[in-house]
Amino acid sequence: MPLLQVRNIETYYGPIMAIKGVSLDVEEGDIVTILGANGAGKSTILKTISGVMDPEKGTIEFMDQRIDGMSPDKIVRMGITQVPEGREIFHDLTVKENLMMGAYLRKDRSETQEDLEIVHDYFPVLKARSSQLGGNMSGGEQQMLAIGRAIMATPKLLLLDEPSLGLAPFLVKEIFEIIKRVNDEQKTTILLVEQNALIALSLARIGYVLELGRIVKEDTCKELMENEDVKEFYLGVKEESIRGSKRWKRKKKWR
Amino acid sequence: MELFNEIIQTLLSGVSIGCIYGLVALGFVLIFKATEVINFAQGEMMVLGAFIALTLINVFGFSYWAALLLATVGLGIFGLILERLVLRSLIGEPVFAIVMLTIGLGYFVRSSVSMVPTWGTDTYGFTTPFTDKAARYGELVLSWEQLAIIFMTIALILILFAFFRYTRMGVAMRATSQNQLAAVYMGISVNRVFSLTWIISAAVGGFAGVLLSPITFVHMNMGFIGLKAFPAAVLGGFSSIPGAIVGGLIIGVTESLAGVYLPIGWKDVAAWIILIGVLIIRPQGLFGIQEKKKV
């Protein structure tokens, strides 16, 4: 039984169906990624899992327990924490207060303090700027703060929504290395949503390709990297035809 | 020397009434920051607090301090009931609908007070430990009633400051007012934060009502002082807690100076002139911050 099991969920924004029957599994200890273009419904899947949006149909099971329709704070209590798209840090709280808000539901003071050390070890800049206001940090530092804040909740499943958004390439690399370390060292299962397909596929083990609210392909990331359609439409590898020019009218095979 | 004493006394009465404005403004600001609703029934919380203290002291023979404490706690419970019964069902509705509702609540409370036996529409008073006491420094005579208001306001503000700064729930309330979505992702129950916000601001209103009683006496319309606390809140930036207090003090002091040194009529206008002047120079208020977001 996988840690997270999503079955045929359908989620609406008013009359618009954003998720059209998505199923996916996340095994314990794994890193799973969902690839897709703008508006494919990636973030909506994460919001549905974390309870911010409710699915009209379908089921979500986490540790053998139905969580669809639960209130978001109960879902956090069960061990699912989301790093939302666009950071969403608390601007007028200090860095330390931001991190401690991640541990809001925890009662174990000494372990919380140890986890604060761990987060400081992952992101030394957060220690150096402990008493600075979150809103005065740069974009990259805010992303680190958002991830650090989620680690403070010691989740079993960490949902990451576009952690590379708007960051310089070297920062993206740094952040993804830390995500990898969190998975290795804290044994945190990770579900990652990304537009940056190359880095997502090189980090994750299993990948799902999402187009217009449907999962069109599911495989190990190794296989996906070799897949012609993924290469051309997500990795931007241009393929030349026999005549030596780009084939503009090529159709994706999964359609 | 006489002029000096007069100025000190005028300032003292301005600061003490300013404290009351500040406390009522604080009630506005707390609710506005958390829920983006302006609670026009904030003044009526004072009325209820004052009447509860009045009954406890005059009818049941409680001491002033016990009555102050019970009125504050009682209003907190009233705020909780109000939020649970009335306002929670309106979450997500247009803001103006909720604001209209609070205006209606204000009328409802005022009318209810006039219907309660022994309360009614008359003006009452109760004695406090400070009644008719004064601190004398040579020629200078300071009324203890006014000094007490200032000291008790400072005490309450220190308690609130410590709560919002050092307790987990207090920081969570600040977090929720800054970014509700992120607060949800942290597992903070926004409903609980809203409840607590109403509890605190109703309790602060009740506390202010008891404090104000010796100065304006207790009657059903004492809540109209809320209308003067409103410019105090705007002056402070409407989303800043220290701003609300400072705004209250500015309005209070201006009013009392204008009352003594300017012709009749200026007393009520002065506060608004200051407000307009400040808003022309700093549209976001004295302590307001313009929203900015990094992408």
Side-chain angles (χ1 to χ4, degrees):
Chain A
M1 189 66 186
L3 182 69
L4 179 79
Q5 194 174 45
V6 178
R7 286 290 170 268
N8 297 315
I9 52 165
E10 293 182 4
T11 308
Y12 290 78
Y13 283 101
I16 298 157
M17 195 185 202
I19 301 292
K20 301 166 181 171
V22 163
S23 301
L24 54 88
D25 289 337
V26 180
E27 296 287 343
E28 191 157 2
D30 220 348
I31 304 184
V32 175
T33 183
I34 305 173
L35 303 178
N38 276 340
K42 305 181 301 281
S43 301
T44 315
I45 294 181
L46 292 195
K47 282 182 189 159
T48 311
I49 294 172
S50 59
V52 175
M53 295 178 77
D54 287 330
E56 295 278 311
K57 283 186 189 156
T59 60
I60 304 171
E61 282 183 39
F62 179 68
M63 303 202 305
D64 304 333
Q65 213 178 326
R66 283 279 295 271
I67 59 165
D68 47 291
M70 263 192 194
S71 70
D73 54 299
K74 289 215 178 78
I75 292 177
V76 175
R77 222 178 271 271
M78 288 190 67
I80 301 182
T81 300
Q82 179 168 357
V83 179
E85 185 178 4
R87 275 84 82 169
E88 304 284 354
I89 55 145
F90 302 112
H91 284 234
D92 290 333
L93 297 190
T94 64
V95 169
K96 171 116 189 268
E97 284 173 328
N98 263 283
L99 289 175
M100 292 315 285
M101 276 296 102
Y104 173 73
L105 290 175
R106 296 176 58 180
K107 300 275 180 277
D108 44 347
R109 275 173 181 248
S110 57
E111 280 97 328
T112 307
Q113 207 56 38
E114 282 166 26
D115 284 327
L116 187 65
E117 297 298 320
I118 291 173
V119 170
H120 281 164
D121 177 48
Y122 286 137
F123 304 107
V125 66
L126 297 184
K127 187 172 192 179
R129 310 230 166 150
S130 210
S131 55
Q132 197 175 321
L133 289 187
N136 293 343
M137 309 270 281
S138 74
E141 289 163 348
Q142 287 189 2
Q143 184 66 63
M144 293 176 190
L145 181 55
I147 295 174
R149 188 179 64 177
I151 296 173
M152 288 300 291
T154 53
K156 293 189 185 71
L157 174 65
L158 183 64
L159 309 176
L160 287 162
D161 197 348
E162 300 263 5
S164 75
L165 189 79
L167 299 185
F170 77 95
L171 268 176
V172 174
K173 213 172 145 236
E174 195 181 326
I175 283 177
F176 272 76
E177 271 160 16
I178 288 162
I179 295 172
K180 177 90 190 132
R181 273 181 67 194
V182 171
N183 175 253
D184 281 347
E185 295 165 16
Q186 312 298 316
K187 307 290 170 227
T188 309
T189 312
I190 289 171
L191 177 58
L192 167 75
V193 150
E194 258 298 342
Q195 284 196 54
N196 185 338
L198 184 62
I199 195 147
L201 285 177
S202 52
L203 175 76
R205 195 181 67 87
I206 300 283
Y208 291 84
V209 179
L210 189 71
E211 285 193 358
L212 300 173
R214 287 197 179 83
I215 301 247
V216 292
K217 187 128 188 84
E218 158 190 2
D219 214 331
T220 61
C221 289
K222 261 190 199 135
E223 293 295 324
L224 284 176
M225 289 262 225
E226 300 303 320
N227 182 292
E228 277 180 22
D229 291 339
V230 172
K231 262 195 206 164
E232 173 153 358
F233 293 102
Y234 288 94
L235 300 173
V237 180
K238 286 198 188 82
E239 191 187 312
E240 298 209 337
S241 70
I242 309 162
R243 290 180 192 161
S245 60
K246 190 173 157 33
R247 290 146 56 205
W248 292 103
K249 285 193 173 172
R250 203 170 89 72
K251 287 246 167 66
K252 291 170 196 161
K253 289 203 183 99
W254 54 63
R255 278 279 164 79
Chain B
M1 198 59 199
E2 216 164 86
L3 180 68
F4 173 77
N5 286 350
E6 191 183 275
I7 290 178
I8 293 291
Q9 276 159 0
T10 313
L11 282 178
L12 180 71
S13 83
V15 169
S16 63
I17 195 78
C19 283
I20 303 287
Y21 292 156
L23 286 179
V24 181
L26 186 71
F28 282 129
V29 167
L30 283 174
I31 288 181
F32 179 77
K33 269 179 75 128
T35 63
E36 303 197 338
V37 166
I38 295 165
N39 172 26
F40 280 101
Q42 189 64 32
E44 275 64 36
M45 306 291 174
M46 297 173 64
V47 180
L48 274 181
F51 269 101
I52 289 174
L54 174 83
T55 311
L56 289 176
I57 293 170
N58 286 0
V59 179
F60 295 101
F62 278 68
S63 74
Y64 174 76
W65 298 108
L68 176 67
L69 187 70
L70 285 175
T72 309
V73 172
L75 260 288
I77 295 168
F78 180 73
L80 173 70
I81 295 169
L82 209 58
E83 200 274 339
R84 278 284 156 86
L85 282 187
V86 188
L87 291 138
R88 180 158 301 181
S89 55
L90 282 167
I91 288 177
E93 300 298 323
V95 170
F96 75 87
I98 309 176
V99 171
M100 290 308 290
L101 176 87
T102 66
I103 295 176
L105 276 175
Y107 272 100
F108 178 78
V109 169
R110 269 204 304 284
S111 319
S112 305
V113 163
S114 74
M115 287 189 293
V116 173
T118 75
W119 288 8
T121 53
D122 291 336
T123 301
Y124 306 91
F126 52 78
T127 51
T128 69
F130 320 107
T131 309
D132 299 330
K133 293 211 174 93
R136 286 167 204 279
Y137 302 96
E139 297 275 294
L140 185 62
V141 182
L142 301 175
S143 145
W144 258 111
E145 264 171 8
Q146 292 173 344
L147 288 173
I149 289 179
I150 296 170
F151 289 137
M152 284 198 271
T153 304
I154 292 172
L156 182 68
I157 289 170
L158 286 179
I159 292 171
L160 286 176
F161 175 81
F163 172 74
F164 283 114
R165 192 59 179 256
Y166 299 114
T167 68
R168 181 182 298 210
M169 195 62 209
V171 179
M173 287 176 76
R174 276 160 61 211
T176 309
S177 75
Q178 289 163 29
N179 192 334
Q180 207 168 309
L181 183 67
V184 169
Y185 284 132
M186 297 302 103
I188 297 169
S189 163
V190 174
N191 279 342
R192 189 182 294 175
V193 168
F194 283 4
S195 285
L196 199 53
T197 309
W198 279 86
I199 291 172
I200 292 176
S201 66
V204 169
F207 185 85
V210 182
L211 252 54
L212 182 64
S213 298
I215 294 187
T216 62
F217 298 108
V218 183
H219 59 93
M220 62 178 266
N221 285 335
M222 71 191 285
F224 283 131
I225 207 169
L227 292 180
K228 287 212 183 112
F230 196 71
V234 176
L235 197 60
F238 226 103
S239 55
S240 156
I241 291 173
I245 302 294
V246 173
L249 291 178
I250 293 175
I251 301 269
V253 169
T254 317
E255 222 180 55
S256 97
L257 285 176
V260 175
Y261 296 106
L262 291 176
I264 289 175
W266 282 95
K267 183 174 188 252
D268 291 323
V269 185
W272 297 95
I273 293 177
I274 297 257
L275 177 67
I276 292 168
V278 168
L279 289 187
I280 287 171
I281 301 162
R282 267 183 79 84
Q284 70 272 40
L286 289 175
F287 287 73
I289 27 162
Q290 257 141 353
E291 287 294 316
K292 50 184 188 276
K293 183 170 180 173
K294 273 207 185 82
V295 184

